[in-house]
Amino acid sequence: MNDWQKKSPLDWETYVNKLVKVIAVEKLQYEGWVLTVDPVSASIVLATFPENEKASISFIMGHAVQEVEILQEGDSHMKQRLARIFAPEESQAYSSEELDKRKNALKTWLETNHIPVAEQGELGTTLCVAGVLTIDPPYGPEQCSSSNEIILSRVQGLLQGYLEKQH
Amino acid sequence: MTDPLPVPVPILRLPRGPDISGGRGFSRDSRRNSQHFPELQAARAALRERFLRLLSSARGRPARFWLWSGIAVDAEFGAADAEPVAFQVDSLRTPLGVQGAALLRCGDVLAFSIPLE
């Protein structure tokens, strides 16, 4: 393992949204804005916006990384530009009233089915099921997260069925 | 008269807890033992989620892979496994012709890039 792979996720997180120069094995060099660092393989993902060419994303494998140097901090404009890369293409915008309605409908449905559910987070926008699974807005199967994959797939299945019945 | 055959004793292996003898139990300050550090776990999860979203957005896009000894090959990106250990690609253009479907070992790949529409 090289030094880069031994770093902690907290170290890697400090590189996100910054312009870096990556020196890899065999004198390969990459320059771009850090989108993320995979905590499993330590691979760096860079976005580059060359002036006369199309923008591209480069994945540099963790095992090939030798040196990473920060060249520039990202301003709010660049952070927004990078965040857009993550936005799903056909994302639907929900108003806060709609989200509230969706949340309450789901909460009621879960409660009538005797599934323990609570609101959590500062604004109470996240639903917490049985203390082990969270559902974030807009409350679909894709927004479920849990470290218990059995519970995760069960609840995702329930949610799928609930949403299909509604339409 | 010969001795009876010794009865085999079952061996039960349990993970040992952390101790000072350097046992092979789960170390409290292991990098992977992040349950005790919620902020570490949150950072791991956020970085990983972004990585997986980027990987899935790469699906079906033309990619260029840089391999060892300065070799670059073009292919259509298909998928990666969880580690990742290998990448699945379609229509891999090799010097010997086009391969319909192929797996590239991650250890052989140094980097790859995909265009961002």
Side-chain angles (χ1 to χ4, degrees), chain A residues 38-103:
Chain A
D38 176 31
V40 177
S41 63
S43 302
I44 309 174
V45 189
L46 300 179
T48 43
F49 308 102
E51 287 197 2
N52 302 319
E53 293 167 64
K54 276 189 176 173
S56 67
I57 310 181
S58 302
F59 293 70
I60 301 136
M61 299 290 111
H63 66 82
V65 174
Q66 286 183 330
E67 255 183 78
V68 184
E69 187 191 335
I70 295 177
L71 303 176
Q72 197 186 320
E73 304 276 327
D75 54 11
S76 61
H77 172 72
M78 182 48 79
K79 279 181 191 165
Q80 267 183 19
R81 195 171 177 187
L82 296 173
R84 269 204 296 277
I85 296 175
F86 290 98
E89 282 159 37
E90 293 148 27
S91 62
Q92 193 182 343
Y94 291 96
S95 66
S96 55
E97 291 86 47
E98 272 177 303
L99 285 178
D100 220 39
K101 222 171 108 187
R102 283 177 72 91
K103 183 187 74 180

Side-chain angles (χ1 to χ4, degrees), chain A residues 139-151:
Chain A
Y139 312 105
E142 288 292 301
Q143 284 80 42
C144 293
S145 87
S146 172
S147 56
N148 184 323
E149 54 185 299
I150 297 166
I151 294 178

Side-chain angles (χ1 to χ4, degrees), chain B residues 63-65 67 72-77 87-104:
Chain B
R64 167 160 287 190
F65 292 84
L67 313 176
V73 287
D74 291 318
E76 187 183 297
F77 189 89
F87 295 114
Q88 186 272 315
V89 296
D90 290 315
S91 37
L92 174 71
R93 283 178 282 284
T94 71
L96 286 176
V98 177
Q99 197 73 29
L103 286 178
L104 298 175

Side-chain angles (χ1 to χ4, degrees), chain A residues 4-167:
Chain A
W4 174 256
Q5 286 171 297
K6 283 186 201 140
K7 280 187 188 292
S8 137
L10 293 170
D11 297 326
W12 289 323
E13 209 178 30
T14 60
Y15 290 87
V16 172
N17 290 334
K18 287 177 188 168
L19 181 67
V20 297
K21 183 160 94 175
V22 179
I23 298 174
V25 292
E26 301 198 334
K27 292 178 186 164
L28 284 172
Q29 276 195 25
Y30 299 88
E31 216 176 284
W33 296 88
V34 178
L35 287 166
T36 189
V37 180
D38 176 31
V40 177
S41 63
S43 302
I44 309 174
V45 189
L46 300 179
T48 43
F49 308 102
E51 287 197 2
N52 302 319
E53 293 167 64
K54 276 189 176 173
S56 67
I57 310 181
S58 302
F59 293 70
I60 301 136
M61 299 290 111
H63 66 82
V65 174
Q66 286 183 330
E67 255 183 78
V68 184
E69 187 191 335
I70 295 177
L71 303 176
Q72 197 186 320
E73 304 276 327
D75 54 11
S76 61
H77 172 72
M78 182 48 79
K79 279 181 191 165
Q80 267 183 19
R81 195 171 177 187
L82 296 173
R84 269 204 296 277
I85 296 175
F86 290 98
E89 282 159 37
E90 293 148 27
S91 62
Q92 193 182 343
Y94 291 96
S95 66
S96 55
E97 291 86 47
E98 272 177 303
L99 285 178
D100 220 39
K101 222 171 108 187
R102 283 177 72 91
K103 183 187 74 180
N104 290 329
L106 176 61
K107 199 178 164 204
T108 318
W109 184 78
L110 288 170
E111 279 165 350
T112 49
N113 286 288
H114 306 288
I115 298 166
V117 60
E119 289 177 11
Q120 69 171 41
E122 265 176 49
L123 302 165
T125 50
T126 300
L127 289 177
C128 182
V129 177
V132 290
L133 180 139
T134 57
I135 314 171
D136 290 308
Y139 312 105
E142 288 292 301
Q143 284 80 42
C144 293
S145 87
S146 172
S147 56
N148 184 323
E149 54 185 299
I150 297 166
I151 294 178
L152 180 66
S153 81
R154 290 280 287 275
V155 175
Q156 282 182 317
L158 281 175
L159 260 180
Q160 191 71 51
Y162 160 73
L163 292 173
E164 274 165 17
K165 243 194 297 178
Q166 282 197 318
H167 293 299

